[in-house]
Amino acid sequence: MSITITGRHMTVTTALRRYLEERSERLKRYGVELDGCQFVLSVEKYRHAAEGVVTVKGRIVQGKVSTQEMYGSIDRLMEKLERQLLKNKEKLVGRKLRTRSLSGARRRAASPPAIMSQLDVMRVPAPVLTLEEALTQLRTRRIQFLLFRNATAGHLQAVQWTDGGQIELIDAGSSSSME
């Protein structure tokens, strides 16, 4: 990463140069490769301004801050650039999650990464069955759970085996037990 520091109406001291280089090292922690940094430090009366332009993979991130002290201007400029880099990184990560898809009916859910990052979502249409047909399939296929669209009621229902060996019908949040 190349850093260019220019002073406008002032000379850039070695202490200022070192401070600016140390602070700009923190920009690397956002996991992006910085192509180059250009900083312009200027003084006009009591205004100490710091401008920065950072290029990241062809994108330009820039900021301008002025305070009454040069070190404070540099600190606030770096905070502003860090916020922009973080926002840029979140956009890239979010875009990757939205466009990524798996073949066939399996798709990864684009939900909050904390909970949903470990789940795979299968989108399978629910078969239209009567309650008797669903019970027959549950018994003959020897499965624990069957989700179906009830042919007579027209809404989703599920049948499952309980721990006691009975069959339970789940219908819109209410459950009843059957044999």
Side-chain angles (χ1 to χ4, degrees):
M1 172 179 75
S2 64
I3 298 176
T4 306
I5 303 171
T6 307
R8 187 180 302 150
H9 304 295
M10 66 172 284
T11 58
V12 180
T13 63
T14 56
L16 266 177
R17 181 176 300 277
R18 190 176 324 120
Y19 186 73
L20 190 57
E21 287 173 352
E22 287 174 5
R23 291 290 301 196
S24 63
E25 287 294 318
R26 293 183 60 193
L27 298 176
K28 292 181 181 178
R29 69 179 175 180
Y30 291 102
V32 292
E33 186 176 325
L34 304 175
D35 298 331
C37 299
Q38 297 176 356
F39 297 104
V40 177
L41 306 176
S42 63
V43 176
E44 295 177 16
K45 293 189 180 183
Y46 298 106
R47 274 188 41 215
H48 295 260
E51 299 176 41
V53 177
V54 179
T55 55
V56 180
K57 294 184 181 178
R59 293 180 181 238
I60 296 176
V61 177
Q62 61 186 7
K64 182 177 181 179
V65 176
S66 63
T67 62
Q68 293 183 354
E69 183 187 41
M70 186 55 74
Y71 289 99
S73 296
I74 291 172
D75 288 340
R76 291 194 47 205
L77 173 67
M78 290 303 161
E79 290 172 3
K80 187 179 272 194
L81 292 175
E82 286 176 7
R83 279 195 309 267
Q84 290 182 25
L85 286 173
L86 180 63
K87 186 177 178 182
N88 190 19
K89 181 181 176 184
E90 288 174 351
K91 277 185 185 178
L92 290 174
V93 170
R95 184 178 304 141
K96 286 180 184 177
L97 286 177
R98 282 194 306 268
T99 60
R100 183 177 163 189
S101 65
L102 300 175
S103 63
R106 298 185 78 162
R107 298 181 191 272
R108 188 171 300 276
S111 298
I115 299 171
M116 300 297 287
S117 65
Q118 298 174 352
L119 298 177
D120 286 332
V121 177
M122 288 185 65
R123 298 192 190 281
V124 180
V128 179
L129 303 170
T130 62
L131 182 58
E132 293 77 24
E133 292 171 336
L135 292 173
T136 303
Q137 282 194 19
L138 187 70
R139 289 185 181 115
T140 58
R141 292 173 52 193
R142 297 179 186 208
I143 53 177
Q144 279 299 118
F145 184 84
L146 178 66
L147 179 69
F148 66 99
R149 183 170 299 278
N150 193 324
T152 55
H155 49 80
L156 285 176
Q157 291 184 333
V159 287
Q160 71 177 3
W161 289 102
T162 63
D163 291 336
Q166 296 197 353
I167 298 175
E168 186 175 53
L169 172 69
I170 302 170
D171 182 15
S174 64
S175 62
S176 62
S177 185
M178 314 172 99
E179 288 187 355

